[in-house]
Amino acid sequence: MTHVEMSPEAIAEKKPYLALGLTEDEYHRFAELIGHQPNDTEIGLASGMWSEHCAYKYSKPILRQFWTKNDRVLMGPGEGAGVIDIGEGKAVVFKAESHNHPSAVEPYEGAATGVGGIIRDIFSIGAKPVAMLDSLAFGDLNLPHTQHLVDRIVAGIGGYGNAIGIPTVGGETNFDHTYARNPLVNAMCVGIMDKDQIQKGKAAGVGNALIYVGAKTGRDGINGASFASGDFSDEEAADRSAVQVGDPFMEKLLMDACLEITQDHQQALVGIQDMGAAGLVSSSVEMAGKANSGMEMDLDLIPQREANMTPFEIMLSESQERMLLCVRAGFEQEVLDVFAAYDLDAAVVGHVIEGHQYRLYHHGKLVCDVPVSSLTDDAPIYEQVGKMPARLAEPAPDFDPIVTDPVATWKAMMGTPTIADKSSLYRRYDAQVQTNTVVLPGSDAAVIRIRGTHRALAMTTDSKGRYLYLDPKVGAAMSVAEAARNLAASGAEPLGITDCLNFGDPTKPEAFYELAEAAKGIIAATKAFNAPVISGNVSLYNETNGKAIYPTPMIGMVGLIEDLSTITTANFKHADDLLYLVGETHGDFNGSELQKLQTGEVAGRLFDFDLDAEKANQQFVLTAIRQHFVTAAHDLSDGGLLVALAEMGFTNQLGAQVKVDLPTSWGFSETQGRFLVTVAPEDQAAFEALNGPAELIGRVQAAPQFDVTTVSHQFSIPLEELQTAFEEALPCYLNQKA
């Protein structure tokens, strides 16, 4: 479907901008900023650049409060990705992006292009992408629509990542009815680089050239930024034309060519930026804005794969595998030759000009003449006021579970979709390409070694939508804490986080309250773990028919392991190793997997969270790991103690004898800040001399079964029965799909 151009007078009268996400007030504000009645192209650019996805007009007042710097941060939010110093002259670069709306409409391409976009953010900084992670959330798995989304989204992630040669090493997959029509597809990419080669997306220096490289521009993903800044309804058909189509093989060529430019042609390169949300307009105008420059482009020079494209379509297309470079005058041919060697389109399409105007020409006619700042710094920012949702003001009574048959409950818990084995999904991803992956998917965190050093990076993604539904602030802090706990269990110290803030419509006071409160929790936790927010995105308007998803910030965290010999995994290693529980256990069930299993919902006031105790427990575990006392470590999260215990036994078919001074139901409590760790008998005295918050509760046994004693029950179960429930649940659901 082609875009039909309208005159400025027709735009003022018929108000087509309303369908593009601009309000009447915003239309008049933009006209005032540019000093004339906006034409068709100009109003299109404003709709993309003033969308929440690009301008953060509702979320910016909140995002400004994030803690974004410490002594390790080399570059924080504002560029394609954040950069952190990891020593030995190296830096880690990482960011996460959401592709929720496109994946709901076209699950394969939506997920695939989400992967492609985040990879470009990493190599635009000059870093080689070394790992991918994801965080996915779907509706109830017994629904055919959910089964279809799972199958196609997982295929899209694998299809793109595998083809480009970047390992997908970790992630998470959650299931809850709230995501039935609005799945979450958050992709994270991690790169490594020499810290003295950081690139920025800027277009500076009058007369310097703008070079467009990569795929030709087509009519896919037109104004995807505005599409991502609206919600869904049954009345309106979803716009499939707003979803991009990806080509991972071209992306591989583009990545290699851009890395060659950043490494071998630094004298030529001024700036480089991915064409992501809002396509060519966002990359070009943001590069001009960062350098306080002016810019002009001739749209006839843009490589195009479809005939008769309008300026609106050319500028707002989100065709994939494209980058924009600013190159010093006189070096144009040198850069063009590099891309020609990779058989990629490359063309000089414009220049940096005096002043601060943004001018576009099409067929010899000036079709856009606006101040750069009218599309960037002068975008509106709205100070919203939140309102506590009624469910938080008057929470339901606390959930007090009754567990009369612990074995049956334990097996049922192992088979719930959020807890169950995800290997049938992640087996479709190549986790070992590049041969740096030390800890594969399935443990608490993935670990990759840093070539040329004795160091490694641990990485994880975590979200806790159920907890935030009951308390946005505390639940968000718990999400950060769980990510840090996963890293600690792997032997890593947190470096920083990236986030995807998946929330509902920010113009609704209740949804805005959830976002603002969640930010407070993230700020407190990132400071506690010395892990600043260095990058991320917002994905708002995750609503269908006016009903929002659970507030679900995804936390992507990267940590540093300074000595490869301290890398720790969750699985039991040896019979007779001693088993310790780190941290106190309470009857914490509101928002838990057990509550969902027994009642079908989550409700009540979220249980207490002691951030100081969480931090102390993590530090204790990390200290014990670094002193080589710990043979296995696993954090306690969904499903609590008994679920974690079972997961530790599966890999090496080792069981355990356990005795805890707790009610049986508390074996499924989700009290935060806890770990299970194993210690060799000969290290018992040294481990206990650390005086940590650890209680000896049993030992690993060669027999593949678990023998458990609580204050109210004594029970045994073969490991095989738990493993069968754990491993067969997802394949059973997914094989039912039509």
Side-chain angles (χ1 to χ4, degrees):
M1 193 170 109
T2 58
H3 173 75
V4 178
E5 294 191 80
M6 296 176 69
S7 68
E9 295 73 25
I11 290 169
E13 180 189 346
K14 297 183 179 177
K15 305 175 183 177
Y17 51 81
L18 295 174
L20 299 174
L22 287 177
T23 65
E24 281 199 59
D25 284 347
E26 288 171 345
Y27 168 79
H28 291 299
R29 174 190 170 120
F30 183 63
E32 193 174 317
L33 284 169
I34 66 175
H36 60 262
Q37 213 168 35
N39 65 26
D40 188 82
T41 303
E42 292 163 344
I43 206 67
L45 304 191
S47 75
M49 293 304 298
W50 284 21
S51 69
E52 179 64 30
H53 211 65
C54 291
Y56 302 104
K57 56 190 175 185
Y58 291 104
S59 55
K60 192 171 277 185
I62 290 172
L63 300 179
R64 284 174 175 159
Q65 299 170 28
F66 279 150
W67 181 57
T68 60
K69 292 178 182 174
N70 67 5
D71 56 355
R72 280 176 158 156
V73 175
L74 299 174
M75 191 161 74
E79 290 291 338
V83 187
I84 292 180
D85 191 337
I86 54 175
E88 299 189 37
K90 298 284 187 183
V92 62
V93 181
F94 58 94
K95 189 183 181 187
E97 281 276 3
S98 56
H99 238 219
N100 305 336
H101 283 58
S103 299
V105 175
E106 286 282 6
Y108 184 94
E109 293 296 349
T113 53
V115 171
I118 196 63
I119 291 169
R120 290 194 298 281
D121 280 334
I122 300 306
F123 69 73
S124 72
I125 304 297
K128 179 185 178 183
V130 295
M132 293 291 308
L133 299 93
D134 54 62
S135 174
L136 311 177
F138 300 102
D140 289 331
L141 199 45
N142 54 8
L143 299 175
H145 180 63
T146 301
Q147 294 159 12
H148 169 71
L149 287 177
V150 171
D151 179 59
R152 300 315 297 152
I153 286 170
V154 169
I157 292 169
Y160 205 102
N162 294 354
I164 200 172
I166 300 169
T168 300
V169 298
E172 61 165 357
T173 309
N174 296 309
F175 297 91
D176 249 305
H177 66 86
T178 187
Y179 308 110
R181 301 284 298 279
N182 217 126
L184 301 186
V185 179
N186 296 168
M188 175 177 171
C189 189
V190 180
I192 294 174
M193 68 183 303
D194 293 336
K195 71 176 188 179
D196 60 357
Q197 293 194 346
I198 296 172
Q199 306 297 322
K200 293 188 176 181
K202 63 179 180 180
V206 173
N208 286 339
L210 298 169
I211 299 185
Y212 169 116
V213 303
K216 289 181 169 65
T217 294
R219 288 190 174 96
D220 55 327
I222 299 287
N223 215 356
S226 294
F227 168 65
S229 301
D231 52 16
F232 295 130
S233 75
D234 287 334
E235 280 73 49
E236 298 176 39
D239 184 4
R240 283 181 163 76
S241 68
V243 181
Q244 312 92 332
V245 178
D247 180 351
F249 301 102
M250 181 172 285
E251 176 112 343
K252 176 70 167 74
L253 296 172
L254 183 63
M255 176 175 72
D256 292 346
C258 288
L259 288 174
E260 183 175 323
I261 294 286
T262 58
Q263 289 165 11
D264 300 338
H265 301 270
Q266 289 188 345
Q267 192 178 359
L269 188 63
V270 177
I272 177 171
Q273 187 155 324
D274 160 44
M275 290 188 216
L280 181 54
V281 60
S282 69
S283 57
S284 56
V285 81
E286 286 174 4
M287 289 177 79
K290 288 175 201 169
N292 201 24
S293 302
M295 181 179 286
E296 67 178 23
M297 289 191 290
D298 182 347
L299 304 191
D300 297 338
L301 302 176
I302 303 293
Q304 296 163 51
R305 67 168 186 261
E306 297 185 48
N308 303 316
M309 290 185 71
T310 65
F312 178 103
E313 292 171 327
I314 293 168
M315 295 305 297
L316 287 165
S317 165
E318 292 185 13
S319 293
Q320 296 292 283
E321 294 85 40
R322 302 180 302 157
M323 306 287 286
L324 191 64
L325 280 62
C326 181
V327 172
R328 283 192 174 82
F331 289 88
E332 295 91 342
Q333 196 58 49
E334 177 182 323
V335 170
L336 293 173
D337 288 346
V338 172
F339 288 98
Y342 286 89
D343 202 23
L344 290 168
D345 276 305
V348 176
V349 297
H351 293 86
V352 179
I353 60 172
E354 297 245 14
H356 307 292
Q357 284 297 105
Y358 184 72
R359 297 193 178 103
L360 304 176
Y361 294 88
H362 185 243
H363 299 342
K365 179 183 168 190
L366 183 66
V367 294
C368 172
D369 188 4
V370 301
V372 168
S373 59
S374 70
L375 296 173
T376 55
D377 296 344
D378 293 336
I381 296 174
Y382 298 118
E383 298 281 350
Q384 294 288 89
V385 177
K387 177 185 176 185
M388 180 184 285
R391 69 173 190 279
L392 301 179
E394 298 177 16
D398 285 346
F399 171 63
D400 187 12
I402 298 172
V403 177
T404 54
D405 184 343
V407 169
T409 302
W410 197 355
K411 286 200 285 189
M413 288 286 282
M414 300 308 298
T416 61
T418 293
I419 288 174
D421 181 28
K422 308 301 188 303
S423 62
S424 61
L425 305 182
Y426 62 68
R427 271 200 304 265
R428 297 162 74 176
Y429 310 146
D430 187 337
Q432 299 191 67
V433 64
Q434 297 191 16
T435 66
N436 292 320
T437 313
V438 183
V439 178
L440 294 165
S443 198
D444 286 324
V447 180
I448 61 163
R449 64 192 171 104
I450 306 168
R451 285 184 182 266
T453 75
H454 290 92
R455 301 176 169 215
L457 293 173
M459 52 202 72
T460 185
T461 56
D462 288 283
S463 61
K464 282 281 173 246
R466 292 180 187 177
Y467 291 175
L468 276 99
Y469 180 68
L470 303 185
D471 189 323
K473 180 180 176 182
V474 176
M478 288 177 175
S479 300
V480 176
E482 181 173 346
R485 203 157 64 239
N486 282 328
L487 297 187
S490 305
E493 176 185 352
L495 290 170
I497 74 163
T498 183
D499 57 45
C500 291
L501 303 179
N502 306 287
F503 288 80
D505 182 344
T507 66
K508 297 179 179 177
E510 290 84 359
F512 187 79
Y513 174 90
E514 292 173 342
L515 178 62
E517 288 295 298
K520 293 175 186 175
I522 291 171
I523 292 164
T526 51
K527 288 181 176 178
F529 297 111
N530 193 26
V533 180
I534 65 159
S535 61
N537 87 320
V538 295
S539 174
L540 308 182
Y541 302 95
N542 288 287
E543 300 197 357
T544 303
N545 299 332
K547 188 163 177 59
I549 61 166
Y550 289 160
T552 313
M554 187 285 291
I555 305 298
M557 186 179 280
V558 175
L560 182 64
I561 298 173
E562 295 188 349
D563 179 353
L564 293 174
S565 70
T566 61
I567 295 170
T568 306
T569 55
N571 50 288
F572 291 149
K573 308 300 187 301
H574 315 286
D576 296 324
D577 275 0
L578 304 174
L579 182 64
Y580 289 85
L581 173 61
V582 177
E584 293 184 8
T585 301
H586 306 286
D588 294 330
F589 296 105
N590 292 346
S592 70
E593 279 289 329
L594 187 62
Q595 183 184 38
K596 179 75 188 297
L597 176 70
Q598 294 195 345
T599 71
E601 61 178 9
V602 295
R605 184 183 66 84
L606 185 61
F607 47 87
D608 292 335
F609 176 51
D610 185 336
L611 188 54
D612 292 335
E614 171 88 50
K615 171 69 175 169
N617 294 356
Q618 291 189 23
Q619 196 57 53
F620 165 69
V621 169
L622 197 51
T623 298
I625 286 174
R626 286 176 169 171
Q627 296 190 29
H628 299 278
F629 296 150
V630 175
T631 54
H634 193 13
D635 85 302
L636 273 56
S637 56
D638 297 330
L641 170 61
L642 291 175
V643 167
L645 181 68
E647 290 171 343
M648 294 179 81
F650 294 153
T651 301
N652 292 325
Q653 294 294 293
L654 293 170
Q657 296 175 342
V658 173
K659 184 176 182 180
V660 288
D661 189 23
L662 302 170
T664 301
S665 63
W666 287 28
F668 303 106
S669 162
E670 295 186 9
T671 305
Q672 300 294 287
R674 297 179 300 153
F675 299 81
L676 283 175
V677 301
T678 58
V679 175
E682 60 267 27
D683 291 324
Q684 179 177 7
F687 175 77
E688 292 181 354
L690 293 175
N691 289 320
E695 177 189 357
L696 179 61
I697 63 168
R699 65 177 57 238
V700 180
Q701 64 182 4
Q705 73 173 36
F706 296 100
D707 302 310
V708 180
T709 303
T710 68
V711 296
S712 45
H713 289 91
Q714 198 165 0
F715 51 98
S716 296
I717 183 170
L719 182 149
E720 182 183 14
E721 289 187 25
L722 294 169
Q723 192 161 4
T724 298
F726 180 67
E727 292 180 351
E728 292 185 356
L730 256 61
C732 182
Y733 278 114
L734 294 173
N735 287 340
Q736 295 172 4
K737 70 180 188 295

